[in-house]
Amino acid sequence: MFRINFSLFVIIFSLNYFKVDAQYGYYSDVLKFSHYFNNGSSRIQGIGGASSSLGGDISSISINPAGLGFFNKKIFSISYKSFYQNNNAIYFDKTSLSNFSKNKIENISLLLPIRNEDNYLNNIIECKNCPKINVGFSYGVVKDFSNDRIYGAYNNHNSIIDYLLIDAQGVPFSQISNSQPIAGIGLLQEAYDHYLINPDEDLPGAYFSFVGGFPYQMERIINNGSVSKFSISSGLNFNDKFYLGLGSNTYFINYKEIRIFTENNYEILNENNEWQTEGILDFLIITDNFKITGNGSSFTFGFIFKPIDNLNFGLNYESKTKYLLNEELFNELETSYLNYYFAPEDTVLSSSKSETAKNVAEYRFSSPSKLTLGTSYFFKKYGFISADVDFINYSSAHISSFDFASYNDNREIKNIYKSLAINYRVGIEGRLKKFYLRAGYSFLADPNRISLDNKYEFIKKSLGVGYLSNNLNLDLTYTTQQRAESILPYKVFSYQPIAEILTKNNQIILTIGVRINNR
């Protein structure tokens, strides 16, 4: 293990290798807040979200406002989602299972026709060929962060104390022992106060720990919050051939993450090569609390063209979203010693709990724009097939702040993310009188252009059914997707501990739509 005095070489190596990663990290917002599937009503999710050329669905308000031009009746719609997540984690060959479920309203939408061909406005201004105008309002969740993962096993190679020691090497003792919080080393200051790291009197800037056992480690990662979207859009219908739409979007971000890392039951090998309790530290718990909140805005422009009755072409462009975000971060550290006598200070160590100062920052984040092309082909009144393609330049995202230097983050955005990522969706719907069957496939491309531990290429599959009458539509859709990720609880340069987690996400979406004042 590494809980010994460090040589000058190790000090230099640790400073060069480990401190760099802590200097920045806001570039990950590109993945958090700009990388997600198309959502919408149950019907649209049933066809994989392939709806930019489709029109005639309430989801057009937030996807392609040109689709609003297909309506001539008032519609109120509400969607309810029930989802279940299953997490399978492997850590040092030990498997841990955790489940998470949640139910929530996912979308509420209202569409209002402003002009119909025979309404009183047309009679007054005598404009039978004027375009029909519809306005829609929609609030929905576009990305849900909810999850609860857990993993644990014995680590016979290192401890998080090793990480704290590596991070501390070269930091002046006057800073680590300072009673006032210092940005960037708050956790090291707490670790010193809890006697997890101690200064080496013979080598200034070096630290050691008297805890030498190998622990049982466990981490629980709890995520909450969402990216939600409020859209106001209008769509125009020009003779049932050309449809034009314009919309404004307001995004709301509420992201929370709590990571609870625990070590206990520190063991060492005795003379008989058997594991036994070290008898110094009973346990330590490090809790990371992280929150980002804020809002942003964008505009949407789209059109749909029908060259013939059974064929649609669609285009939709959403501008960059300009966010103003606020971040909060702090750590809690709890330790419990087995009444260990620490001779240098003539004290008996027992239990202690403290937390770092809260780090806050305000910054602006500009997410990339998105261009979508789509087409739909209709088999008379028996159904259709629809497909979409997105073009996104993730490297165009940008971060700025007066609270921190954003140069490194913007450099990483250029280095890591693709200048062209292509998503695609395809869906099919079949009709039998008033009933509908649907299937969809959606591919979300990995925005990273370099190889990383985690892949962000996702596939969502869906199946759905629907019922449509003059006054009511009922749609039910089942979707499934899974994600494999690698989680590093901390970084050391010897036998890096890695948890491999496979998350399966299954959800059911129910949409109820009511047509008001039908004629």
Side-chain angles (χ1 to χ4, degrees):
M1 300 184 72
F2 303 107
R3 274 160 273 171
I4 57 175
N5 298 341
F6 279 64
S7 66
L8 182 61
F9 168 78
V10 175
I11 293 175
I12 295 174
F13 179 84
S14 65
L15 285 173
N16 289 337
Y17 182 77
F18 292 98
K19 293 291 180 78
V20 171
D21 185 67
Q23 292 174 0
Y24 49 91
Y26 292 93
Y27 59 83
S28 62
D29 286 356
V30 176
L31 286 170
K32 285 190 185 77
F33 307 133
S34 304
H35 190 241
Y36 45 79
F37 288 100
N38 265 14
N39 282 342
S41 68
S42 177
R43 180 196 182 204
I44 295 306
Q45 295 196 51
I47 59 171
S51 62
S52 65
S53 62
L54 191 60
D57 188 271
I58 199 74
S59 301
S60 298
I61 299 171
S62 59
I63 296 178
N64 184 353
L68 298 181
F70 286 75
F71 289 95
N72 55 23
K73 300 173 183 177
K74 299 177 184 177
I75 296 178
F76 173 77
S77 173
I78 185 169
S79 296
Y80 184 82
K81 178 177 73 174
S82 176
F83 70 94
Y84 176 82
Q85 289 178 330
N86 173 267
N87 298 294
N88 187 326
I90 299 177
Y91 189 60
F92 290 107
D93 297 325
K94 182 178 179 181
T95 300
S96 302
L97 301 176
S98 60
N99 300 316
F100 180 82
S101 61
K102 192 174 184 179
N103 303 300
K104 63 189 301 183
I105 293 176
E106 187 172 58
N107 184 277
I108 299 177
S109 300
L110 175 66
L111 183 137
L112 301 173
I114 302 302
R115 181 192 297 275
N116 287 317
E117 289 184 0
D118 58 351
N119 70 13
Y120 73 97
L121 284 176
N122 286 329
N123 294 328
I124 292 175
I125 63 177
E126 297 181 354
C127 183
K128 297 295 183 181
N129 294 321
C130 287
K132 293 184 290 185
I133 305 173
N134 296 325
V135 175
F137 307 86
S138 176
Y139 178 82
V141 176
V142 297
K143 185 172 185 178
D144 196 322
F145 297 111
S146 301
N147 204 349
D148 192 343
R149 294 157 288 174
I150 191 169
Y151 64 87
Y154 274 101
N155 183 346
N156 297 332
H157 305 277
N158 49 58
S159 160
I160 198 169
I161 298 174
D162 295 312
Y163 160 74
L164 295 171
L165 284 172
I166 291 170
D167 211 30
Q169 302 309 314
V171 179
F173 176 67
S174 60
Q175 295 185 18
I176 285 184
S177 61
N178 199 311
S179 60
Q180 297 298 317
I182 298 177
I185 64 168
L187 186 58
L188 295 180
Q189 291 180 293
E190 298 304 317
Y192 166 76
D193 290 341
H194 287 246
Y195 296 90
L196 295 176
I197 59 176
N198 302 277
D200 186 335
E201 296 180 356
D202 298 327
L203 186 58
Y207 300 85
F208 74 96
S209 177
F210 50 73
V211 180
F214 297 99
Y216 182 90
Q217 298 178 327
M218 182 174 69
E219 183 172 35
R220 183 182 180 189
I221 305 173
I222 305 168
N223 292 100
N224 285 300
S226 63
V227 178
S228 55
K229 179 180 180 181
F230 176 70
S231 301
I232 302 176
S233 301
S234 61
L236 290 81
N237 180 342
F238 296 86
N239 299 318
D240 295 330
K241 285 292 184 181
F242 186 78
Y243 304 81
L244 187 65
L246 183 66
S248 65
N249 309 296
T250 303
Y251 287 87
F252 304 92
I253 287 178
N254 181 20
Y255 175 83
K256 296 180 181 178
E257 180 177 87
I258 300 176
R259 299 184 65 158
I260 306 169
F261 182 87
T262 303
E263 287 189 350
N264 57 32
N265 201 23
Y266 293 82
E267 295 185 344
I268 57 175
L269 284 172
N270 60 24
E271 296 177 353
N272 298 322
N273 203 32
E274 297 174 340
W275 290 104
Q276 69 176 41
T277 302
E278 184 183 41
I280 297 177
L281 182 64
D282 186 16
F283 67 83
L284 70 82
I285 301 173
I286 297 178
T287 303
D288 297 330
N289 297 273
F290 183 51
K291 180 171 70 172
I292 299 177
T293 58
N295 54 71
S297 61
S298 70
F299 71 87
T300 304
F301 166 81
F303 68 80
I304 297 174
F305 175 57
K306 291 180 69 71
I308 56 177
D309 288 342
N310 59 344
L311 181 64
N312 291 4
F313 292 106
L315 178 146
N316 184 69
Y317 172 79
E318 182 172 359
S319 70
K320 289 187 173 184
T321 305
K322 308 290 187 178
Y323 289 101
L324 177 62
L325 301 177
N326 293 278
E327 176 191 79
E328 294 182 3
L329 171 66
F330 69 96
N331 308 99
E332 297 174 339
L333 176 60
E334 181 178 0
T335 55
S336 180
Y337 288 89
L338 297 169
N339 294 322
Y340 177 72
Y341 177 68
F342 186 55
E345 296 189 13
D346 189 27
T347 185
V348 175
L349 304 180
S350 55
S351 299
S352 180
K353 186 176 182 179
S354 62
E355 66 180 42
T356 65
K358 184 178 293 185
N359 293 318
V360 298
E362 182 179 87
Y363 61 103
R364 297 183 182 277
F365 169 59
S366 177
S367 71
S369 59
K370 180 172 70 173
L371 176 67
T372 303
L373 303 178
T375 184
S376 302
Y377 184 82
F378 296 84
F379 302 94
K380 297 183 179 180
K381 295 184 178 181
Y382 299 106
F384 62 83
I385 184 169
S386 184
D388 284 354
V389 180
D390 297 331
F391 302 92
I392 304 175
N393 179 3
Y394 285 100
S395 68
S396 67
H398 186 78
I399 292 171
S400 62
S401 176
F402 291 109
D403 294 334
F404 58 86
S406 57
Y407 169 78
N408 286 326
D409 294 280
N410 290 315
R411 182 186 63 187
E412 289 302 291
I413 288 174
K414 298 293 185 183
N415 291 338
I416 292 177
Y417 298 116
K418 294 177 181 178
S419 58
L420 179 60
I422 299 176
N423 307 325
Y424 61 85
R425 300 174 290 277
V426 61
I428 187 170
E429 178 181 274
R431 177 182 181 184
L432 181 61
K433 295 184 179 179
K434 294 184 178 182
F435 295 92
Y436 298 81
L437 295 176
R438 306 180 182 107
Y441 181 94
S442 182
F443 173 81
L444 192 61
D446 189 342
N448 297 294
R449 70 178 185 89
I450 61 176
S451 178
L452 300 176
D453 291 332
N454 290 328
K455 298 298 182 183
Y456 293 90
E457 175 182 291
F458 304 130
I459 293 172
K460 181 189 284 189
K461 301 175 184 178
S462 57
L463 290 172
V465 295
Y467 169 81
L468 177 64
S469 68
N470 290 332
N471 300 315
L472 181 71
N473 68 274
L474 292 172
D475 298 290
L476 187 69
T477 293
Y478 168 78
T479 70
T480 181
Q481 67 178 101
Q482 66 180 33
R483 176 192 179 188
E485 61 180 327
S486 300
I487 293 179
L488 284 64
Y490 52 87
K491 288 187 177 182
V492 294
F493 54 80
S494 173
Y495 209 96
Q496 175 64 55
I498 299 175
E500 303 288 348
I501 301 181
L502 178 65
T503 299
K504 296 182 179 180
N505 188 334
N506 302 302
Q507 61 182 14
I508 296 175
I509 308 100
L510 172 66
T511 297
I512 301 175
V514 179
R515 285 158 174 77
I516 306 171
N517 295 333
N518 284 337
R519 294 178 295 108

